[in-house]
Amino acid sequence: MPVDLEIVSPEKLLLSRPVDMVVLPAAEGELGVMVNHAPMIVLLRGGTIRLYEGANVIDRLFVSGGFAEVTPARVTVLADEATPVAQVSRAEGDRRLAAAEADYAAADKMDVAALDAAMDRMQSARAMIEAAPAG
Amino acid sequence: MPSLKALRSRIASVKSTQKITSAMKMVAASRLRRAQTQAEAARPYAQRMERMLASLAANVAGSPTAPRLLVGNGRDKVHLLVVVTADRGLAGAFNSSVGRTARSLARRLESEGKTVKLLPIGRKGRDLLRREMNDRLVGFFSFAGSKTVGFASAQEVAGKIIAMQAADEFDVCTLVFNRFASVISQVPTEVQLIPTPLPPQQETEPTQGARAVYEFEPDEETILARLLPQNLAIQVYRALLENAAGFYGAQMTAMDNATRNAGDMIKRYTQNYNRARQAAITKELIEIISGAEAV
């Protein structure tokens, strides 16, 4: 039995379809969700969401961060920003990485929250570069 | 009675005004449609966000380490009013009704001995508030340059609000904007942002039973720390969208009235013009006839 997957960004509903399994880039490691999963709310880091039908990946989307709500019948991803992997731009990832590194360098070394935020952005940018199609 | 020539030019001028107002009505109608679609597209995210926030906040609200964005700083002395208006006018009472609501709210708070700070978004709101309450303005945002409302704009505003709270510049933050009730009706609305008002917990409902057993990863507070700023941005975004849709709705109605009014004026002037023309003809005839009789 498939699980209903919904991916929404603040500006619109991006995707709504049943899948056999979805792999989410959760903050503490990847999380595969199938139907009848225990209800959870997870924080997402920057990374790729993979949609499975049977054993095959049918779609990949890059998210820069967000949240996911898992219930037995449904997975709702609240993405800060989501792009199909084919449209991810390496140049944009490079730009963000540079900006995040600059912020990290500029941040007060005692301000742990700011350092963490910059680290998260660096991680998300690296994931974006990684996700970008080669070439 | 004005001369025939003066009447003719009056009619011509009203006609060209009518052309402008009816064109503006058309433009407002098409932008309204776009704004409405955008507002609808933003709804699913906001709804899911609210649901998540409700289940998270219920677990954290009681604890002494609850984030300040959620519970405020415990005081109720300095109020920040974020007033959302349009950047342009020609939309009837749209902007002034928000301005009036914000001003009366500010006066009420001040009469209770509280300090009020104002943060207008949109040029018209700033102009309205500057006249009377210039010393209370603490900033200003305008997104007149962009055609549609972007989420990035909302994040910018939310960032400013969060920075102000971190600097302890206010205790309670309220958003004042025009809620889009329908094309002809926009309702000035106040929504408290900080401390976040929690949706009432209805534990009797069977669906709520499932809510209590959520697992959280990493943990409630880490997720909340990320969710709250996002929720603030979403609230601002919603206000910006409602404001945009309401503005075009109000402008459409105002321009429709103006077009109809211009039509009435043209009818009246044309009648006057025809009367004046006939009077002139009659006068000439009388002169000719009485001249002929005299012979």
Side-chain angles (χ1 to χ4, degrees), chain A residues 6 11 39 41 43 69 76, chain B residues 48 51 151 214-215 217:
Chain A
E6 264 182 359
E11 284 168 4
I41 290 179
L43 188 64
E69 184 194 29
T76 310
Chain B
R48 313 246 147 62
R51 210 169 56 200
F151 184 60
Y214 274 118
E215 281 174 42
E217 183 186 309

Side-chain angles (χ1 to χ4, degrees), chain B residues 127-143:
Chain B
D127 296 348
L128 278 168
L129 296 172
R130 195 159 51 181
R131 216 172 300 148
E132 265 185 71
M133 305 189 160
N134 197 11
D135 50 328
R136 301 176 188 75
L137 296 190
V138 289
F140 166 60
F141 285 97
S142 168
F143 305 107

Side-chain angles (χ1 to χ4, degrees), chain B:
Chain B
M1 177 147 290
S3 74
L4 287 179
K5 189 162 184 290
L7 273 173
R8 256 201 314 269
S9 69
R10 270 295 250 306
I11 293 172
S13 118
V14 176
K15 265 188 183 154
S16 71
T17 307
Q18 189 188 29
K19 269 184 203 146
I20 293 170
T21 56
S22 82
M24 279 181 80
K25 182 193 151 194
M26 235 84 97
V27 172
S30 85
R31 295 218 172 127
L32 169 67
R33 214 167 0 252
R34 195 164 6 150
Q36 263 179 309
T37 339
Q38 215 191 342
E40 256 155 50
R43 210 158 291 156
Y45 191 95
Q47 279 169 352
R48 313 246 147 62
M49 174 73 93
E50 202 168 289
R51 210 169 56 200
M52 262 197 218
L53 189 66
S55 49
L56 271 165
N59 288 352
V60 178
S63 89
T65 53
R68 290 176 61 201
L69 271 180
L70 183 68
V71 295
N73 55 10
R75 285 191 301 268
D76 181 26
K77 188 87 190 72
V78 186
H79 283 247
L80 175 72
L81 305 185
V82 181
V83 184
V84 186
T85 56
D87 282 298
R88 279 177 298 158
L90 289 179
F94 179 80
N95 291 315
S96 53
S97 68
V98 178
R100 196 164 49 238
T101 312
R103 272 201 306 272
S104 66
L105 180 63
R107 280 206 205 92
R108 203 188 68 220
L109 289 169
E110 280 179 354
S111 71
E112 289 167 11
K114 287 163 184 157
T115 317
V116 173
K117 292 181 176 178
L118 295 166
L119 177 64
I121 305 176
R123 266 204 301 262
K124 285 286 161 186
R126 180 194 55 179
D127 296 348
L128 278 168
L129 296 172
R130 195 159 51 181
R131 216 172 300 148
E132 265 185 71
M133 305 189 160
N134 197 11
D135 50 328
R136 301 176 188 75
L137 296 190
V138 289
F140 166 60
F141 285 97
S142 168
F143 305 107
S146 55
K147 256 193 179 161
T148 51
V149 184
F151 184 60
S153 319
Q155 274 176 320
E156 203 181 311
V157 177
K160 161 100 178 167
I161 296 175
I162 292 167
M164 279 182 74
Q165 202 206 15
D168 239 343
E169 288 179 41
F170 66 86
D171 303 327
V172 177
C173 176
T174 309
L175 190 63
V176 184
F177 67 101
N178 258 325
R179 195 166 54 78
F180 180 82
S182 76
V183 176
I184 48 163
S185 147
Q186 294 81 32
V187 189
T189 313
E190 300 154 18
V191 175
Q192 184 176 316
L193 292 180
I194 301 171
T196 314
L198 290 179
Q201 288 293 110
Q202 311 136 324
E203 275 161 49
T204 44
E205 262 184 58
T207 50
Q208 306 295 103
R211 183 171 284 174
V213 296
Y214 274 118
E215 281 174 42
F216 299 97
E217 183 186 309
D219 55 77
E220 286 100 319
E221 297 204 1
T222 320
I223 298 180
L224 260 186
R226 277 271 285 118
L227 193 77
L228 286 169
Q230 190 74 3
N231 181 54
L232 190 65
I234 286 288
Q235 297 281 347
V236 176
Y237 185 55
R238 201 185 66 137
L240 290 179
L241 288 175
E242 297 247 350
N243 173 63
F247 170 73
Y248 289 124
Q251 186 167 55
M252 202 177 102
T253 319
M255 287 301 120
D256 188 42
N257 286 339
T259 308
R260 207 165 312 144
N261 194 24
D264 289 348
M265 267 171 90
I266 291 172
K267 213 184 274 172
R268 233 177 17 248
Y269 279 137
T270 313
Q271 204 171 35
N272 281 350
Y273 174 76
N274 285 340
R275 275 203 194 122
R277 193 173 53 89
Q278 273 186 342
I281 293 168
T282 315
K283 210 176 101 199
E284 267 175 43
L285 277 177
I286 289 172
E287 274 165 12
I288 293 167
I289 293 166
S290 54
E293 269 174 5
V295 173

